[in-house]
């Protein structure tokens, strides 16, 4: 039985004060939630505030990106050790905005995922095709390659510290959600790919999140699908009410 996960990716939104306000509203609202894991990824500058505000709750805190090196002359970068040092337990790697706007490659995603695990944290590895790739009939090929390269440095036992997130680029921040059927089909591709590389047991336990314009009114239909184990939520994770409504998908 895979425990569902509802994760929020705040992208470049919220100051420390705004983060404090958000947690003040969300923490009491999710105190009874035990049927899913809750993760929030604020920007680096709000990590400490978020960690303090979430302390004692079931909300885990993630970073949105990381460098794979321990330390060094990498201006602007943050290392896994720095993240675990502040108490961060999760890191998102390979988000499509990092791939498209900041030159992230499948190779660097693989390095980052391995570095996150080596530091004792868990990684959310994002994959997903663009609209042009989907229209060219290449969605499956692209997602498989991103996944294989993203996990390339990991062993079967490492996979228990990984969550995969299928985020079709054409559905991120566009208001356009993949239908539950399209999402489920691609989640099936991800699970089969992991099964071929790491075996059926590892694939069966892998949690796979859907991301792309998830909102309170579409989460239930997505969560109904067999291979969808949760959601990675962008815009709707910025408002405590909307995020809580998504967390309450089963109620
Ligand atoms: C995301 O940033 O991972 C995302 C899915 O964004 P949105 O929910 O806003 O489409």
């Amino acid at each position: 039985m895979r425990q569902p996960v509802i994760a929020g990716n705040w992208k470049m939104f919220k100051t420390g004060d705004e983060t404090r306000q958000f947690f003040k509203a969300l923490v009491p609202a999710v105190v009874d939630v035990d049927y899913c894991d809750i993760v929030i990824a604020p920007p680096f500058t709000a990590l400490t505030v978020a960690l303090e505000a979430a302390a004692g709750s079931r909300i885990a805190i993630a970073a949105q990106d990381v460098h794979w090196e321990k330390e060094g002359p990498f201006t602007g970068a943050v290392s896994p050790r720095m993240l675990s040092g502040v108490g961060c337990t999760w890191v998102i790697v390979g988000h499509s905005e990092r791939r498209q706007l900041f030159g992230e490659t499948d190779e660097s995603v693989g390095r980052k995922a391995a570095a996150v695990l080596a530091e004792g944290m868990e990684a959310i590895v994002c994959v997903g095709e663009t609209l042009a790739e989907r229209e060219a009939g290449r969605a499956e090929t692209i997602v498989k390659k991103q996944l294989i390269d993203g996990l390339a440095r990991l062993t079967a036992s490492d996979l228990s510290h990984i969550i995969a997130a299928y985020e079709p680029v054409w559905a991120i921040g566009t208001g356009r959600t993949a239908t539950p059927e399209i999402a489920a089909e691609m989640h099936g591709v991800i699970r089969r790919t992991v099964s071929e590389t790491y075996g059926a047991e590892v694939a069966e336990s892998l949690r796979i999140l859907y991301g792309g314009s998830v909102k309170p009114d579409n989460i239930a239909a997505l969560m109904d699908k067999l291979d969808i184990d949760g959601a990675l939520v962008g815009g709707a994770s910025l408002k405590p009410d909307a995020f809580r409504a998504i967390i309450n998908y089963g109620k």
Side-chain angles (χ1 to χ4, degrees):
M1 187 67 184
R2 298 183 293 266
Q3 168 90 345
V5 185
I6 302 293
N9 170 22
W10 283 1
K11 313 186 185 202
M12 199 173 74
F13 290 97
K14 291 198 193 291
T15 62
D17 280 349
E18 290 162 347
T19 299
R20 212 170 279 114
Q21 291 304 319
F22 176 95
F23 278 90
K24 212 168 156 188
L26 187 71
V27 169
V30 297
V31 86
D32 293 329
V33 174
D34 57 2
Y35 52 85
C36 72
D37 293 341
I38 304 169
V39 182
I40 293 181
F44 288 133
T45 46
L47 279 174
T48 307
V49 171
L51 282 155
E52 280 167 14
S57 79
R58 294 187 60 254
I59 305 170
I61 303 301
Q64 297 175 17
D65 187 33
V66 68
H67 197 286
W68 58 83
E69 294 286 355
K70 282 195 170 64
E71 57 187 7
F74 304 106
T75 302
V78 170
S79 77
R81 198 158 66 100
M82 292 168 183
L83 294 177
S84 71
V86 294
C88 204
T89 45
W90 289 85
V91 184
I92 298 173
V93 297
H95 191 279
S96 64
E97 286 155 11
R98 300 296 319 169
R99 292 178 191 263
Q100 295 205 308
L101 306 173
F102 299 97
E104 188 87 84
T105 63
D106 293 343
E107 161 74 15
S108 63
V109 174
R111 284 178 184 270
K112 289 179 178 190
V116 167
L117 265 59
E119 191 55 44
M121 296 181 288
E122 326 261 323
I124 300 177
V125 179
C126 302
V127 296
E129 79 285 359
T130 62
L131 186 58
E133 288 162 347
R134 172 154 285 269
E135 287 177 347
R138 299 183 60 229
E140 235 186 270
T141 313
I142 295 292
V143 163
K144 274 182 159 177
K145 179 175 178 337
Q146 290 176 341
L147 191 69
I148 290 167
D149 291 357
L151 305 181
R153 294 162 191 265
L154 306 181
T155 64
S157 67
D158 286 336
L159 269 269
S160 60
H161 301 288
I162 289 285
I163 287 181
Y166 169 61
E167 297 209 303
V169 178
W170 45 272
I172 295 182
T174 59
R176 191 173 160 188
T177 319
T179 61
E181 289 68 31
I182 292 180
E185 185 189 323
M186 295 304 289
H187 283 222
V189 168
I190 291 172
R191 209 175 294 289
R192 279 195 299 284
T193 305
V194 170
S195 179
E196 283 157 18
T197 318
Y198 295 98
E201 205 178 316
V202 170
E204 242 342 273
S205 342
L206 178 72
R207 294 185 286 178
I208 308 174
L209 313 185
Y210 167 76
S213 301
V214 173
K215 302 276 182 292
D217 61 2
N218 59 24
I219 182 72
L222 289 160
M223 292 303 288
D224 245 12
K225 295 288 177 193
L226 197 64
D227 275 317
I228 301 183
D229 304 311
L232 181 51
V233 185
S237 72
L238 292 167
K239 301 180 201 90
D241 283 354
F243 195 53
R244 186 192 48 189
I246 291 171
I247 292 167
N248 285 348
Y249 63 88
K251 291 190 173 168

